[in-house]
Amino acid sequence: MRGSLLLRSMRSSFTNSTSSISTHLTRRGYGTESVPERKVAVLGAAGGIGQPLALLMKLNPLVSRLALYDIAGTPGVAADISHINSRSEVAGYMGEEQLGQALEGSDVVIIPAGVPRKPGMTRDDLFNINAGIVKSLCTAISKYCPNALVNMISNPVNSTVPIAAEVFKKAGTYDEKKLFGVTTLDVVRAKTFYAGKGKIPVADVNVPVVGGHAGITILPLFSQATPKSNLSDEEIVALTKRTQDGGTEVVEAKAGKGSATLSMAYAGAIFADACLKGLNGVSDVVECSFVQSSITELPFFASKVKLGKNGVEEVLGLGHLSDYERQGLELLIPELKASIEKGVKFANQN
Amino acid sequence: MQPTSEANQRIARISAHLHPPNFQMEESFSLRRENCRAKGAGPGFKVAILGAAGGIGQPLSMLMKMNPLVSVLHLYDVVNTPGVTADISHMDTGAVVRSFLGQKQLEDALSGVDLVIIPAGVPRKPGMTRDDLFNINAGIVRTLCEGIAKCCPRAIVNLISNPVNSTVPIAAEVFKKAGTYDPKRLLGVTMLDVVRANTFVAEVLGLDPRQVDVPVVGGHAGVTILPLLSQVKPPSTFTPQETDYLTARIQNGGTEVVEAKAGAGSATLSMAYAAVKFADACLRGLNGDQGVIECAFVDSQVTELPFFASKVRLGRNGAEEIFPLGPLNEYERAGLEKAKKELAESIQKGVSFIKK
């Protein structure tokens, strides 16, 4: 449902709006604008996910300033995107010396930075490179925009979110309501696969996905999917596996050329949009996300969360699980625990 | 959601009635392929993107997958489409996506398609003009248009491949040779010039870019791009310095990005956005929406040149009405003469490429 809300708000970017009631203003202040000013920073904006993500954020009318940061390539990406006739002002920042400026005043920071998987790799294989990247980016966030909502995309999310938390705790800026591992792509996949199998229009479908963001830690709750369908137990098992392996499916189809970029950008934009709506006081903004949580014995867990002016307003419970899902939950907990601990250990040792 | 999909179904049924396959034309080559809507797809249109795995093609494909007017999306390229398709197919929007790889699959990619968007080709590097791309891109466009003439001659064609000033005439010649040419259905995409004009003018005026509309006429390269600042909405005046600055910046917008990318390519993301904005307008026209007006480079009588960009009204048959340029001031009249001179040569270059 919220995917279509994003589409509707973006559609206004595509249709001509020459209802010009605006008076001539001397500077770019649009005094008639009743939508709050919001700055979004994308760290890793010149990458495979970062570029299409930056495009989608440029099209989002809730964004007033867009900062694009990367270690290379951002001047070109920013010049490109800045030509688009939508609301936000774009600025490109390149290299660590400019990271602070990129971050200052940000309301939402989206982090797709890092290297993607190649065929045969798990998300955990990326750990060594991406952990270091995430650590330094989060150190800067705690310095320059400690109150921002952080949307972590860099894999392995199950570990990079705990790393971020440790960095923020060390800096004394940690707010557990403002750190999110982005699991929206798992939800998007679950909905798409469920709709396809059940022959239901995907716009009508909702499926919660809980747990984590890798392999069996991804637990789609098809028993809670709406609308109901007549799928057999075998079909549910197949859908569960397909959702869990969705990322690998794309890595293999791309045969060494990368992992999901466009669908990840799309999902990342949906989640960032939800964060912005929450900040702006829109009610009933609910998305699945990997957050600090007490709904299981693990310190972090993905479930539905309600988003508001301070980030997470409420972590919603798992709801009723089928026997198959309860089994899945038991299986995922040890793996997720290990990934979380790996992240915490890395942050404390380095 | 229910009422909307019922309405869409009614519209799809009505459009199908008004948009029947042209049996007279197709008799010359036997009906090997059913010119019908894809089975299992909801109401909406079938769109093919030729060059879907490229720098423009990928974000373009992502945005078209998000468009509710698209029911089937065919992604064609000579490399990498399986990966791009697998990626995009996971997005939770209604369009069904299919991958087509290599020239052998071009015909299948085009079969039954309502709208073909062509970003295929190589981009500029610093120091190059769009014309420098001519030799490679001309051949690519010819091959793709031969496929279109064979497999979906009634499709609306949105041509992005540069140099547009030449590739559109190339396409026209290919379609004429095949006996399928419909000038209303061949459109060179100049939307990015309009997008840039709106952004740069808004900046100077201190306005929200969404509220500015600048007509841009002529062609799609350097001085052939002619922004009509005297016709800006909301009505505004510009100093001579502002006029010079804006005209130059709009004309060189593409070069601005090529240089900022320092060899890594030309505009991809803004081009994808502009292309989708224009494709969406074409689909709304096909859908029967009224008053859909955008600038496009088309077969035109607005000047003595065979092709020219100006505002066109998009409808069920493509560019159904071409609007004249309207009143031009002296600066613009001078610009028009300059534009026409260069444009005439580019058009001729395209025509000659096929005719020789």
Side-chain angles (χ1 to χ4, degrees):
Chain A
M1 187 54 134
R2 67 296 180 275
S4 63
L5 290 175
L6 171 67
L7 298 186
R8 263 204 293 280
S9 69
M10 280 176 42
R11 256 185 105 60
S12 64
S13 303
F14 291 103
T15 52
N16 248 343
S17 49
T18 47
S19 56
S20 23
I21 323 160
S22 56
T23 54
H24 282 218
L25 301 167
T26 48
R27 69 172 311 276
R28 204 182 173 83
Y30 324 145
T32 50
E33 203 60 69
S34 57
V35 182
E37 305 259 304
R38 293 288 174 207
K39 179 175 171 181
V40 174
V42 179
L43 309 184
I49 297 172
Q51 290 199 42
L53 175 58
L55 169 61
L56 290 173
M57 295 318 294
K58 178 70 173 97
L59 296 180
N60 191 323
L62 297 180
V63 180
S64 57
R65 281 192 298 155
L66 186 58
L68 305 182
Y69 169 83
D70 211 322
I71 53 172
T74 18
V77 177
D80 187 350
I81 285 186
S82 72
H83 287 180
I84 293 174
N85 56 331
S86 62
R87 177 190 178 197
S88 48
E89 280 180 51
V90 190
Y93 301 90
M94 184 163 81
E96 256 186 82
E97 330 78 67
Q98 300 199 331
L99 179 52
Q101 271 180 285
L103 288 172
E104 245 149 18
S106 295
D107 295 288
V108 178
V109 181
I110 317 175
I111 312 182
V115 296
R117 288 194 275 163
K118 289 204 181 296
M121 290 172 84
T122 64
R123 286 182 179 89
D124 194 65
D125 290 332
L126 306 174
F127 184 89
N128 292 322
I129 308 177
N130 290 356
I133 294 173
V134 165
K135 186 160 191 236
S136 56
L137 294 176
C138 288
T139 306
I141 288 171
S142 59
K143 190 171 175 187
Y144 294 101
C145 55
N147 297 316
L149 302 193
V150 176
N151 292 173
M152 183 70 69
I153 294 174
S154 309
N155 273 314
V157 166
N158 292 351
S159 303
T160 55
V161 166
I163 290 174
E166 291 303 306
V167 169
F168 296 151
K169 283 176 193 166
K170 273 212 187 90
T173 63
Y174 182 50
D175 181 343
E176 74 276 9
K177 297 187 298 305
K178 295 193 174 180
L179 175 57
F180 304 86
V182 180
T183 59
T184 312
L185 184 49
D186 302 319
V187 177
V188 163
R189 285 174 176 146
K191 287 173 53 172
T192 300
F193 302 156
Y194 178 80
K197 221 13 173 292
K199 309 236 187 296
I200 308 166
V202 69
D204 299 340
V205 170
N206 269 299
V207 185
V209 182
V210 303
H213 184 61
I216 60 158
T217 70
I218 299 169
L219 187 60
L221 303 180
F222 289 113
S223 69
Q224 294 179 24
T226 55
K228 298 254 163 282
S229 67
N230 292 323
L231 297 175
S232 66
D233 289 349
E234 291 77 31
E235 287 172 316
I236 296 292
V237 170
L239 284 178
T240 302
K241 285 199 168 26
R242 196 176 174 207
T243 305
Q244 292 173 336
D245 295 336
T248 306
E249 193 178 306
V250 180
V251 169
E252 279 166 13
K254 288 200 174 187
K257 295 250 163 68
S259 58
T261 49
L262 303 169
S263 51
M264 183 66 242
Y266 167 78
I270 287 177
F271 188 73
D273 180 67
C275 287
L276 290 167
K277 290 198 163 88
L279 287 178
N280 288 349
V282 175
S283 50
D284 295 317
V285 181
V286 175
E287 290 293 335
C288 290
S289 183
F290 184 69
V291 293
Q292 178 168 309
S293 174
S294 50
I295 63 176
T296 69
E297 71 260 32
L298 299 179
F300 295 90
F301 204 80
S303 67
K304 285 198 204 180
V305 308
K306 200 170 194 194
L307 295 167
K309 294 199 162 114
N310 297 305
V312 178
E313 219 170 73
E314 195 184 341
V315 175
L316 303 176
L318 294 178
H320 182 266
L321 268 56
S322 68
D323 290 337
Y324 177 67
E325 289 158 359
R326 234 187 305 273
Q327 260 174 34
L329 182 61
E330 295 307 309
L331 278 174
L332 78 86
I333 284 185
E335 184 178 313
L336 188 44
K337 183 162 192 246
S339 300
I340 292 170
E341 283 172 359
K342 188 172 181 181
V344 173
K345 191 165 169 208
F346 175 87
N348 289 324
Q349 273 177 352
N350 292 267
Chain B
M1 200 61 200
Q2 285 304 329
T4 317
S5 55
E6 273 171 30
N8 280 343
Q9 275 166 5
R10 278 204 309 280
I11 289 167
R13 275 200 306 275
I14 297 167
S15 325
H17 165 72
L18 292 174
H19 211 48
N22 189 335
F23 290 116
Q24 231 177 356
M25 269 204 303
E26 286 167 15
E27 254 175 303
S28 52
F29 40 89
S30 53
L31 287 170
R32 286 177 291 128
R33 256 166 224 90
E34 287 182 328
N35 188 15
C36 65
R37 204 132 290 186
K39 293 189 174 40
F45 298 99
K46 199 163 170 187
V47 178
I49 299 176
L50 310 183
I56 298 171
Q58 289 199 44
L60 173 56
S61 301
M62 175 187 73
L63 291 173
M64 288 311 287
K65 175 76 168 92
M66 293 165 68
N67 190 314
L69 287 174
V70 179
S71 61
V72 178
L73 189 57
H74 283 185
L75 304 185
Y76 167 86
D77 210 322
V78 292
V79 290
N80 299 333
T81 23
V84 176
T85 305
D87 187 350
I88 287 184
S89 72
H90 289 180
M91 290 166 62
D92 56 351
T93 61
V96 169
V97 205
R98 300 199 182 111
S99 164
F100 298 87
L101 179 66
Q103 222 172 292
K104 290 209 171 85
Q105 301 199 331
L106 177 59
E107 295 190 5
D108 288 334
L110 291 171
S111 152
V113 159
D114 300 304
L115 174 70
V116 183
I117 311 175
I118 312 181
V122 296
R124 287 195 275 164
K125 288 202 182 297
M128 288 173 85
T129 63
R130 286 182 179 90
D131 194 64
D132 291 330
L133 306 174
F134 183 90
N135 293 322
I136 308 177
N137 289 356
I140 294 174
V141 168
R142 174 177 49 197
T143 305
L144 297 176
C145 289
E146 283 166 354
I148 292 169
K150 193 173 179 187
C151 305
C152 55
R154 302 266 300 163
I156 309 284
V157 176
N158 287 175
L159 194 39
I160 296 170
S161 311
N162 271 316
V164 166
N165 293 349
S166 303
T167 55
V168 167
I170 288 173
E173 289 303 310
V174 169
F175 295 150
K176 282 175 193 168
K177 260 205 182 127
T180 65
Y181 183 47
D182 179 354
K184 298 188 297 303
R185 290 185 150 84
L186 174 59
L187 305 112
V189 182
T190 59
M191 180 66 85
L192 184 49
D193 302 319
V194 175
V195 164
R196 286 175 175 145
N198 292 349
T199 300
F200 303 155
V201 167
E203 215 172 88
V204 164
L205 295 179
L207 294 178
D208 186 321
R210 293 170 287 181
Q211 297 184 312
V212 174
D213 186 29
V214 186
V216 182
V217 302
H220 185 60
V223 300
T224 70
I225 298 171
L226 192 58
L228 301 181
L229 298 175
S230 65
Q231 293 182 24
V232 162
K233 292 201 186 75
S236 315
T237 49
F238 302 91
T239 66
Q241 293 90 338
E242 286 170 340
T243 304
D244 279 335
Y245 162 77
L246 285 170
T247 303
R249 199 174 173 208
I250 293 163
Q251 290 177 339
N252 296 316
T255 306
E256 195 178 302
V257 180
V258 170
E259 278 165 13
K261 289 199 172 186
S266 59
T268 48
L269 303 169
S270 52
M271 183 65 243
Y273 162 71
V276 170
K277 193 170 154 78
F278 186 70
D280 181 68
C282 290
L283 291 177
R284 283 184 287 121
L286 283 180
N287 208 25
D289 285 18
Q290 299 298 304
V292 181
I293 297 173
E294 298 292 352
C295 291
F297 184 69
V298 292
D299 191 317
S300 172
Q301 267 93 54
V302 158
T303 69
E304 70 271 24
L305 298 181
F307 294 90
F308 205 80
S310 68
K311 288 209 179 191
V312 307
R313 185 178 54 77
L314 296 161
R316 292 212 165 92
N317 295 302
E320 289 180 343
E321 194 181 341
I322 298 173
F323 297 103
L325 299 183
L328 268 58
N329 64 24
E330 205 181 307
Y331 183 87
E332 291 158 356
R333 273 197 295 274
L336 178 60
E337 290 315 304
K338 229 173 150 197
K340 284 198 290 186
K341 201 154 171 276
E342 187 179 306
L343 193 41
E345 284 170 26
S346 303
I347 292 170
Q348 192 48 53
K349 191 172 180 181
V351 172
S352 302
F353 177 79
I354 297 295
K355 286 205 157 143
K356 68 167 154 58

